[in-house]
Amino acid sequence: TMLELLIIIVTLVLDQASKIIAADWLSGLPNATYPLFDGVFELSYVENRGAAFGMLQNARWLFILLTLVACGALIYLMIKKHAQMHKMLRVCLSLIIAGALGNFVDRLFLGYVRDMFYFSLIDFAVFNVADAAISVGGVLLVADLLFSKKGKAFLAELDKKKAPDTAKKGETPSEQSTADTEQGGNER
């Protein structure tokens, strides 16, 4: 729907705009860093050629392929199960897709991801808007599926559709179990 598309577009625009500004402005500063709150939070331009927290350096094509597969699967799920999905679930998935696409654009066209937000107080990895969207979307998704009634109901519905239909037509599972025992379960 329009909500999901709006979330993806706005997140992508904010991500790419912040990356352009960071690359242009921060890269010209000493150490490519501008302290906003000294010792707490800085803007620090970094070109990350790996995944989250700098893992798997120089695996560009692997990340491009994984992003295409993951985004394709999430978009397919959102289209196929749209009627069963509640708004919070669709928002979470939209944030994850938007973040993945934001970093995908960088990897595809630049060969690296531009990061700029750094919590120096806790020495946390430098990240960007796309990373934040993926993280927020992921945390909210887990919380939604585990703790909200609608999230639990969505998972239960998916689980029902996965369970094999072993009962004979017109029999309950307990009647099927009794019939199976009577047919051969008492032989010794």
Side-chain angles (χ1 to χ4, degrees):
T1 65
M2 289 302 295
L3 175 64
E4 293 90 343
L5 195 56
L6 183 65
I7 290 169
I8 292 170
I9 291 169
V10 167
T11 304
L12 273 171
V13 167
L14 289 173
D15 178 63
Q16 291 301 306
S18 65
K19 289 173 177 177
I20 290 167
I21 292 167
D24 288 347
W25 179 57
L26 291 172
S27 60
L29 297 177
N31 297 322
T33 299
Y34 182 82
L36 286 176
F37 301 102
D38 201 26
V40 178
F41 184 74
E42 303 171 0
L43 297 177
S44 184
Y45 181 70
V46 175
E47 294 175 353
N48 182 356
R49 294 179 187 330
F53 313 114
M55 296 183 298
L56 295 171
Q57 291 292 313
N58 299 312
R60 175 184 180 200
W61 293 106
L62 173 65
F63 295 127
I64 287 173
L65 177 65
L66 289 175
T67 301
L68 288 172
V69 170
C71 285
L74 290 176
I75 291 167
Y76 175 79
L77 177 69
M78 286 180 70
I79 292 169
K80 182 128 173 100
K81 300 289 183 185
H82 191 272
Q84 292 95 347
M85 288 184 176
H86 55 285
K87 189 181 292 187
M88 182 59 147
L89 181 57
R90 295 191 316 266
V91 166
C92 294
L93 294 177
S94 297
L95 285 169
I96 293 168
I97 291 168
L101 291 176
N103 286 338
F104 172 81
V105 168
D106 276 17
R107 282 194 184 95
L108 186 65
F109 293 108
L110 301 173
Y112 55 85
V113 173
R114 300 167 289 181
D115 293 327
M116 76 287 301
F117 301 119
Y118 177 55
F119 281 105
S120 53
L121 179 66
I122 58 173
D123 195 25
F124 190 72
V126 183
F127 62 98
N128 58 41
V129 172
D131 297 333
I134 292 168
S135 297
V136 169
V139 167
L140 290 176
L141 177 66
V142 170
D144 180 55
L145 293 175
L146 293 179
F147 303 114
S148 79
K149 288 181 183 177
K150 290 179 180 179
K152 288 178 183 179
F154 180 77
L155 283 179
E157 186 63 31
L158 286 180
D159 197 38
K160 270 191 228 175
K161 292 185 179 183
K162 277 186 4 184
D165 187 19
T166 56
K168 292 179 185 169
K169 192 170 186 158
E171 290 183 341
T172 66
S174 61
E175 291 171 337
Q176 176 67 34
S177 176
T178 304
D180 289 344
T181 303
E182 290 171 357
Q183 289 177 355
N186 291 331
E187 295 177 16
R188 293 190 188 225

